[in-house]
């Protein structure tokens, strides 16, 4: 079930990016290779008291606020079986949220504050928070208050950003959590284990936390360090699973952002927050989200030994159902500043498509996904494109790489083109324009992908073993 998700998260402060944007990004990985998703708009609403949110996975339910902002969502198609999991979105106040990074607390802390079976879990968190917040901090406050009221059904981490701030929140027991602001000039990477380290309870600009967490730790003798409050040490794990499934992903991301730093891929003390050796772009995040220990002995497609190639869990997986980068720009007007970069089908082999978040609809190919294969559905098309590349990796990887490079070029120019063309528009006219331009971007990307598909299919036919050359006439 999707509640057993295992994702990879990247967060980038505005002074750490090349253009002053904030960026939060995540792979949505599940334990099922096939779990179709769709990309939809959730409309704003006003004066509608009594709206209820009910989980399909447990008995959780709550009343929603009477007013909600428009936002996007990337939910499961089969939500009645696997839960809503709306995943990610940027609301009309340009507040981004990505939900959630599964995070595992240890048995010492869970013994005294166990998870709440029918509490708020990741299947409903996005629904309960994203349409109702005006800033990243506001997102932390709202979700924290819901965890206090209902408890948490699982360990989860949640990403928030606005044009100024980027926050990462880790919920590790039934009621306790800590959130840390990522410094403006830094990035952070998380991979399914408690990541936040030293907490300064007097620094309210950069830390938020659950009520009574210090007293909880003191009462139950949970802090093994003689000084300080290391959240990772107190609430997290550091076991064999972490060393092979979780920590190496952080190691590889940091190796790409900071190649000058030597680290052990199994080191449980790899820092959560670092300064990159350069200013970061969406391209950098795309590369990491689709990576598989490229150019190391641990690459499943590489030249290492069989043991090395299967030692660590890669970042990009066939179980990655979607990947996204939520970018809030600071060098353009607010009504066209938010870009939702969405990769349907897996970021290793398929492109991230830029959607201006100020839109009132998504293309039919993204919002009308079926549970079974249908070529016209974006999710199924790009998933099958990725499968075709991987099934003939030595023959097709360079074709696919060239395609992705060209798509990055096209998409960057497209964002600039649309931003410039919309300069004199505002209000509903601007929203309609951006929606139509998003559709054009999707269509052009699909056309290029179909050309690649055709080229690869033609080449694969030539690879058949059912051939025999003897005579030109036979």
């Amino acid at each position: 079930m999707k509640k057993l998700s295992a994702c990879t998260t990247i967060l980038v402060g505005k002074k750490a990016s090349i253009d002053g944007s904030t960026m939060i990004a995540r792979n949505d990985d599940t334990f099922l290779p096939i779990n179709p998703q769709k990309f939809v708009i959730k409309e704003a609403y006003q004066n509608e008291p009594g709206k209820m949110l009910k989980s399909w996975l447990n008995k959780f339910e709550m009343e929603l606020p009477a007013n909600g902002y428009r936002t996007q969502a990337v939910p499961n198609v089969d939500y009645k079986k696997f839960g809503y999991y709306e995943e990610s979105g940027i609301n009309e106040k340009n507040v981004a949220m990505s939900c959630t990074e599964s995070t595992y607390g240890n048995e010492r802390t869970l013994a005294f504050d166990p998870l709440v079976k029918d509490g708020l879990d990741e299947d409903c968190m996005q629904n309960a928070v994203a349409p109702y917040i005006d800033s990243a901090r506001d997102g932390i406050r709202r979700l924290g208050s819901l965890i206090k009221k209902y408890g948490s059904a699982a360990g989860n981490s949640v990403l928030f950003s606005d044009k100024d701030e980027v926050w990462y929140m880790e919920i590790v027991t039934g009621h306790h959590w800590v959130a840390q602001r990522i410094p403006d000039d830094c990035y952070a990477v998380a991979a399914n284990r408690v990541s936040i380290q030293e907490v300064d309870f007097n620094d309210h600009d950069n830390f938020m936390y659950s009520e009574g967490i210090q007293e909880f730790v003191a009462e139950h003798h949970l802090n093994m360090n003689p000084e300080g409050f290391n959240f990772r040490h107190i609430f997290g794990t550091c076991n064999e699973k972490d060393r092979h499934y979780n920590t190496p992903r952080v190691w590889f991301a940091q190796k790409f952002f900071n190649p000058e730093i030597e680290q052990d891929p199994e080191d449980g003390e790899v820092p959560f927050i670092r300064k990159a050796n350069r200013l970061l772009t969406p391209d950098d995040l795309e590369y990491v989200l689709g990576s598989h220990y490229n150019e190391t002995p641990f690459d499943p497609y590489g030249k290492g030994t069989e043991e090395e190639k299967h030692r660590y869990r890669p970042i990009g997986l066939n179980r990655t159902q979607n990947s996204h980068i939520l970018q809030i720009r600071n060098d353009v007007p607010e009504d066209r500043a938010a870009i939702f970069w969405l990769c349907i089908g897996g970021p290793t082999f398929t492109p991230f498509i830029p959607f201006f978040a100020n839109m009132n609809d998504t293309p039919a190919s993204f919002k009308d996904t079926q549970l079974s294969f249908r070529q016209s559905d974006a999710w199924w098309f790009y998933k099958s494109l990725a499968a075709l590349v991987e099934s003939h990796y030595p023959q097709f990887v360079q074709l696919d790489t060239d395609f992705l490079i060209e798509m990055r070029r096209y998409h960057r120019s497209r964002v600039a083109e649309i931003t410039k063309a919309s300069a004199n528009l505002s209000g509903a006219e601007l929203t309609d324009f951006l929606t139509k331009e998003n559709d054009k971007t999707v269509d052009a990307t699909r056309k290029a992908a179909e050309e690649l598909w055709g080229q690869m299919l033609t080449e694969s036919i030539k690879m058949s073993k059912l051939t025999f050359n003897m005579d030109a006439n036979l």
Side-chain angles (χ1 to χ4, degrees):
M1 294 179 66
K2 194 172 173 182
K3 70 177 182 178
L4 299 174
S5 59
C7 311
T8 306
T9 284
I10 308 172
L11 310 102
V12 180
K14 62 182 180 181
K15 293 182 180 178
S17 67
I18 200 167
D19 62 353
S21 299
T22 60
M23 291 185 284
I24 59 175
R26 186 172 61 86
N27 280 355
D28 169 33
D29 304 332
T30 75
F31 278 82
L32 296 173
I34 300 296
N35 190 2
Q37 297 177 342
K38 55 186 177 179
F39 181 43
V40 299
I41 298 296
K42 298 191 69 176
E43 296 294 339
Y45 67 91
Q46 293 182 330
N47 300 317
E48 295 185 25
K51 290 174 70 75
M52 297 297 296
L53 171 63
K54 297 182 180 182
S55 172
W56 290 93
L57 301 183
N58 63 11
K59 296 179 181 179
F60 171 80
E61 63 178 282
M62 63 171 284
E63 184 174 349
L64 294 170
N67 302 301
Y69 297 128
R70 184 189 67 217
T71 188
Q72 309 87 32
V74 192
N76 286 327
V77 173
D78 193 357
Y79 64 89
K80 291 183 179 180
K81 182 176 181 180
F82 297 116
Y84 293 113
Y85 287 91
E86 294 195 344
E87 293 295 345
S88 52
I90 307 171
N91 72 21
E92 60 187 289
K93 294 296 183 180
N94 282 0
V95 183
M97 178 181 177
S98 181
C99 182
T100 68
E101 172 87 23
S102 295
T103 305
Y104 301 95
N106 60 52
E107 64 274 20
R108 298 186 307 276
T109 53
L110 288 167
F112 302 106
D113 184 25
L115 299 171
V116 180
K117 180 181 178 181
D118 291 319
L120 175 59
D121 201 352
E122 58 183 334
D123 64 308
C124 288
M125 281 186 183
Q126 192 85 13
N127 319 49
V129 177
Y132 311 108
I133 53 179
D134 292 279
S135 68
R137 285 178 186 265
D138 196 25
I140 303 290
R141 285 190 289 264
R142 175 166 174 79
L143 183 51
S145 68
L146 294 176
I147 296 301
K148 179 180 179 180
K149 181 175 181 179
Y150 298 104
S152 179
N156 292 302
S157 297
V158 189
L159 298 62
F160 294 97
S161 66
D162 53 39
K163 67 183 181 65
D164 293 315
E165 297 187 340
V166 175
W167 283 82
Y168 185 67
M169 179 182 188
E170 295 188 319
I171 306 161
V172 286
T173 67
H175 301 87
H176 286 300
W177 55 270
V178 165
Q180 182 172 10
R181 180 187 176 189
I182 309 306
D184 290 346
D185 59 352
C186 293
Y187 73 89
V189 180
N192 297 128
R193 65 178 297 228
V194 177
S195 298
I196 295 173
Q197 295 171 292
E198 288 294 333
V199 179
D200 184 346
F201 290 97
N202 296 315
D203 183 359
H204 301 296
D205 289 335
N206 295 296
F207 290 94
M208 300 171 71
Y209 41 86
S210 54
E211 181 180 330
I213 190 170
Q214 291 174 276
E215 293 79 5
F216 171 78
V217 168
E219 177 185 355
H220 298 293
H221 310 291
L222 298 172
N223 191 350
M224 69 289 294
N225 294 344
E227 295 181 359
F229 192 100
N230 188 306
F231 190 63
R232 186 188 298 179
H233 289 175
I234 297 170
F235 285 89
T237 59
C238 187
N239 53 35
E240 186 175 9
K241 177 180 178 181
D242 292 318
R243 287 186 284 277
H244 291 267
Y245 195 83
N246 300 329
T247 304
R249 286 180 276 154
V250 179
W251 166 79
F252 183 79
Q254 293 190 3
K255 175 179 170 61
F256 182 68
F257 296 143
N258 289 102
E260 74 283 3
I261 299 175
E262 293 289 337
Q263 297 181 124
D264 184 338
E266 298 182 24
D267 183 2
E269 297 301 320
V270 169
F272 173 47
I273 295 173
R274 281 203 182 279
K275 292 184 180 181
N277 73 343
R278 60 192 183 279
L279 296 175
L280 300 178
T281 71
D283 293 351
D284 292 315
L285 276 60
E286 290 182 17
Y287 175 82
V288 171
L289 292 170
S291 66
H292 40 86
Y293 303 110
N294 310 50
E295 301 181 76
T296 78
F298 313 119
D299 186 348
Y301 305 114
K303 299 179 180 180
T305 66
E306 286 304 304
E307 188 279 329
E308 288 174 324
K309 289 193 288 185
H310 299 94
R311 184 181 300 175
Y312 302 134
R313 185 269 213 208
I315 293 175
L317 290 177
N318 70 328
R319 295 186 279 106
T320 302
Q321 308 301 334
N322 86 73
S323 187
H324 50 268
I325 302 170
L326 310 183
Q327 180 185 24
I328 313 296
R329 300 182 292 168
N330 278 296
D331 59 347
V332 297
E334 291 185 2
D335 54 8
R336 67 213 74 191
I339 307 291
F340 191 128
W341 298 87
L342 179 61
C343 175
I344 289 288
T348 304
F349 303 116
T350 57
F352 285 76
I353 301 175
F355 291 85
F356 282 77
N358 183 8
M359 56 180 168
N360 52 33
D361 203 358
T362 57
S365 60
F366 278 78
K367 68 181 179 181
D368 296 330
T369 310
Q370 286 193 157
L371 278 173
S372 56
F373 179 81
R374 184 170 63 178
Q375 184 90 351
S376 59
D377 294 347
W379 191 90
W380 284 108
F381 173 74
Y382 287 109
K383 196 77 170 177
S384 59
L385 178 67
L388 182 57
V389 176
E390 187 173 12
S391 65
H392 296 85
Y393 185 84
Q395 294 85 6
F396 292 162
V397 65
Q398 191 57 54
L399 287 174
D400 184 68
T401 299
D402 293 343
F403 163 71
L404 293 178
I405 289 172
E406 170 56 21
M407 286 300 94
R408 286 197 293 271
R409 183 209 65 78
Y410 168 70
H411 290 144
R412 274 41 173 197
S413 66
R414 187 79 177 121
V415 169
E417 173 189 342
I418 296 171
T419 302
K420 183 177 180 179
S422 66
N424 296 322
L425 303 177
S426 62
E429 187 179 12
L430 173 64
T431 303
D432 289 341
F433 175 79
L434 296 178
T435 301
K436 292 175 182 177
E437 293 302 307
N438 286 343
D439 292 350
K440 292 178 183 177
T441 305
V442 166
D443 291 344
T445 304
R446 175 68 180 243
K447 181 179 179 181
E450 287 179 346
E451 290 176 359
L452 172 65
W453 176 283
Q455 185 178 1
M456 292 190 297
L457 183 62
T458 301
E459 291 301 316
S460 67
I461 293 171
K462 299 176 184 177
M463 299 174 196
S464 173
K465 296 183 184 300
L466 296 179
T467 185
F468 195 92
N469 294 324
M470 186 174 72
D471 186 287
N473 296 316
L474 296 177

